[in-house]
Amino acid sequence: MLKLGIVGTAGFFLPGDNTSGTPRNAPGQFQVPLRIPPQLAPKRTDAATDYYEINIRPAQVDILPGKRTTIWGYDGMFPGPTIRARSGRTSIVRQINNLPVETNVHLHGGAVAPEHDGGMHEMIAPGSFRDYVYPNNQIASTLWYHDHSMHRTAQNVYMGLAGFYLIEDSFEARLNLPSGEYDVPLMLQDRLFNGDGSFNFPAHNHEGINGDTILVNGVPQPYFQVAQRTYRFRILNASNSRHYELALSNGQPFPSGRRPFLTLPQPMLQIASDGGLLSAPVPRPTIAIAPAERVEVVIDFARYPVGSQIILKNKLGRGATADVMRFDVTRKTTDTSRVPAVLRPITPLDGAVVTRDFELSVNREGMWVINGLPFDHQRVDARPKLGSTEIWNVINRSNVPHPFHIHLVMFQILDRNGAKPPAGEAGWKDTANVGPLETVRLIAKFNGFTGKYMFHCHNLHHEDHMMMLQFEVVS
């Protein structure tokens, strides 16, 4: 017990489901249609910059039938509006805080200057605003923005403060992947509800929350009507703590030869991870996704007859939480999109000049820590040099998983317990799940900006419980 660093705790949160049965307040499964978060239009534009404005405010929204739920939302929405940015073109997002508490905003996966990263000590007071400058000097990828307040991230995100931020570029556009209405963001979250429809956020919870209701884009276990064609789904796990293992209820192989560019042996085709496209598509029968991770998959519904219903399952769930959503094939249509055999070349990082060890554990006081230390924004725990490449050994000394997130940089996973990572993790990442007693080696190049940034566990309750350190990129 001492060696594993698990003294002084009880009731550990595990990666599976700690709920069972039917939620008390949720509707029946697949009763409500999926909603797609609206795209936010710029307030104005100039030759190099798009200017956005978001009002962070409380709102009453419909989640459970016949009840109203109070949320804290970007523009009063749950999830917030989607921003579609262009690689190489700057976005300036004015965030106006009309909440009763301080807040800030972190662009998760964004390579931004430290003063625009949403550091936990850089808050927006109620009634004030802050302009966040995002250069978007990175490849096309599915990012997201969310609250990052000190000791309150878990509760604020639970209240609704999360939204998609999608970067696009001309390279990806030339591939002719499914686009427009066939490019669908899916934000996965779970919640507990009180009898009046309000969110039930258990106070003083340091292990994590597994809710009994699965939400997709803020809708409880929705259905989504699809055509007989390929769709691109950008899947984000925005849950506070819950891990998912996704699979389709009908896992029959594709008919061979039906399409020369899609001869798939599995029902889902992964094309991207956190930081953009993989080098080649990867057939996946199941996909594990930890909090803050993103996976992009193509699903071809052309192989299903009109009238088919396919359920997206969660193999880590029990009872109602074993089902995420349902796809209903309702119509025929033409499809000119394709998934090429080669997506985007990825050059392996090498030439690391420094190797660092970071141990994830819980101390004798029951506090989640890294290298035995809680977060202190006055202390710097690592100083990578600008332009240098480092290897980080992330060592989990506990019996629970920790999604490990590094601000500023995208990294590559070298190995897990000495074994090569699976093909779905062979691309650019900003969050890596580190399983119980597992060691994951990461390699990253610290480019772009000097200054202080955070790295932490993205189980938001662990993060709030000080499982976070700080690094400073120095010139």
Side-chain angles (χ1 to χ4, degrees):
M1 295 282 284
L2 285 168
K3 286 181 66 178
L4 297 182
I6 56 176
V7 173
T9 64
F12 276 102
F13 165 75
L14 296 177
D17 197 350
N18 59 12
T19 62
S20 60
T22 302
R24 291 181 302 160
N25 304 298
Q29 293 175 308
F30 319 131
Q31 299 299 304
V32 185
L34 178 73
R35 293 192 296 265
I36 308 300
Q39 183 173 326
L40 185 65
K43 286 288 185 180
R44 63 185 179 92
T45 64
D46 60 29
T49 305
D50 296 317
Y51 300 83
Y52 298 90
E53 187 175 290
I54 293 178
N55 182 0
I56 312 172
R57 62 180 177 87
Q60 293 272 315
V61 300
D62 295 319
I63 300 177
L64 305 180
K67 299 178 181 179
R68 301 283 281 173
T69 301
T70 297
I71 63 142
W72 291 354
Y74 297 111
D75 276 349
M77 300 179 190
F78 177 58
T82 296
I83 294 177
R84 282 187 179 265
R86 193 74 186 167
S87 178
R89 182 176 174 83
T90 299
S91 300
I92 297 180
V93 184
R94 173 165 293 186
Q95 298 280 4
I96 306 167
N97 182 14
N98 282 305
L99 296 176
V101 300
E102 291 184 324
T103 185
N104 65 4
V105 182
H106 170 53
L107 179 59
H108 187 115
V112 305
E115 61 268 25
H116 301 292
D117 189 52
M120 288 193 163
H121 54 288
E122 296 176 332
M123 305 300 295
I124 311 171
S128 300
F129 70 86
R130 188 181 185 96
D131 289 337
Y132 291 91
V133 179
Y134 303 141
N136 300 319
N137 289 325
Q138 49 198 119
I139 64 174
S141 48
T142 297
L143 311 184
W144 62 301
Y145 61 100
H146 61 82
D147 177 271
H148 214 298
S149 301
M150 189 73 171
H151 299 308
R152 288 189 58 92
T153 299
Q155 185 169 1
N156 289 357
V157 172
Y158 203 81
M159 286 296 294
L161 294 178
F164 281 99
Y165 188 100
L166 310 179
I167 299 180
E168 301 174 331
D169 63 20
S170 56
F171 181 97
E172 184 177 282
R174 288 194 297 269
L175 297 180
N176 195 29
L177 296 166
S179 60
E181 65 178 298
Y182 308 110
D183 178 359
V184 182
L186 299 177
M187 181 182 292
L188 309 186
Q189 297 173 301
D190 60 337
R191 293 292 187 272
L192 296 168
F193 289 91
N194 297 311
D196 61 358
S198 60
F199 289 135
N200 178 354
F201 182 82
H204 311 296
N205 185 312
H206 302 315
E207 282 75 40
I209 293 176
N210 268 348
D212 59 12
T213 302
I214 302 296
L215 305 178
V216 185
N217 294 349
V219 181
Q221 292 177 303
Y223 67 86
F224 182 48
Q225 294 184 343
V226 298
Q228 278 188 317
R229 56 154 292 151
T230 54
Y231 282 73
R232 175 183 186 172
F233 294 102
R234 302 172 185 257
I235 303 174
L236 158 66
N237 183 355
S239 301
N240 281 33
S241 311
R242 180 183 288 276
H243 293 236
Y244 300 83
E245 186 178 353
L246 303 175
L248 293 180
S249 60
N250 186 336
Q252 297 301 311
F254 281 67
S256 61
R258 192 187 62 78
R259 289 186 179 179
F261 59 90
L262 265 180
T263 54
L264 299 181
Q266 305 293 352
M268 292 184 289
L269 189 68
Q270 184 181 347
I271 61 171
S273 55
D274 303 338
L277 292 173
L278 301 174
S279 59
V282 181
R284 301 290 302 274
T286 65
I287 297 177
I289 182 169
E293 288 189 304
R294 286 86 70 205
V295 293
E296 297 185 32
V297 300
V298 170
I299 300 177
D300 189 358
F301 295 104
R303 65 194 180 97
Y304 299 103
V306 170
S308 299
Q309 295 179 330
I310 304 98
I311 298 173
L312 182 63
K313 307 287 289 185
N314 171 27
K315 298 184 71 175
L316 297 181
R318 292 189 299 175
T321 61
D323 294 334
V324 176
M325 64 179 295
R326 191 182 72 196
F327 302 105
D328 295 348
V329 183
T330 60
R331 63 195 188 278
K332 298 178 180 291
T333 190
T334 58
D335 184 4
T336 60
S337 66
R338 63 187 299 271
V339 180
V342 177
L343 293 170
R344 189 165 209 147
I346 296 175
T347 302
L349 293 176
D350 59 12
V353 296
V354 173
T355 298
R356 305 181 192 271
D357 291 345
F358 296 104
E359 295 193 358
L360 315 178
S361 64
V362 63
N363 65 14
R364 291 180 178 274
E365 290 73 40
M367 182 180 294
W368 292 107
V369 292
I370 302 176
N371 282 356
L373 300 171
F375 178 69
D376 181 350
H377 78 267
Q378 300 291 345
R379 188 188 70 239
V380 174
D381 303 286
R383 286 188 168 88
K385 293 182 179 180
L386 182 66
S388 69
T389 301
E390 296 193 356
I391 292 175
W392 288 15
N393 298 320
V394 187
I395 307 154
N396 188 351
R397 299 296 189 192
S398 75
N399 66 343
V400 299
H402 297 289
F404 188 82
H405 172 49
I406 307 177
H407 288 216
L408 176 64
V409 299
M410 291 288 175
F411 55 76
Q412 296 171 359
I413 298 177
L414 292 175
D415 53 62
R416 291 180 171 275
N417 288 336
K420 184 178 178 181
E425 290 190 322
W428 294 106
K429 298 278 292 171
D430 59 47
T431 306
N433 189 47
V434 186
L437 306 179
E438 185 178 37
T439 296
V440 178
R441 287 201 311 146
L442 315 174
I443 185 168
K445 189 168 186 176
F446 292 84
N447 271 338
F449 300 94
T450 58
K452 296 178 182 178
Y453 297 87
M454 293 173 285
F455 58 101
H456 56 87
C457 176
H458 220 283
N459 179 325
L460 298 183
H461 303 265
H462 296 180
E463 174 186 328
D464 281 352
H465 204 41
M466 309 302 280
M467 197 172 201
M468 177 165 51
L469 296 184
Q470 185 172 224
F471 67 92
E472 181 179 11
V473 181
V474 297
S475 59

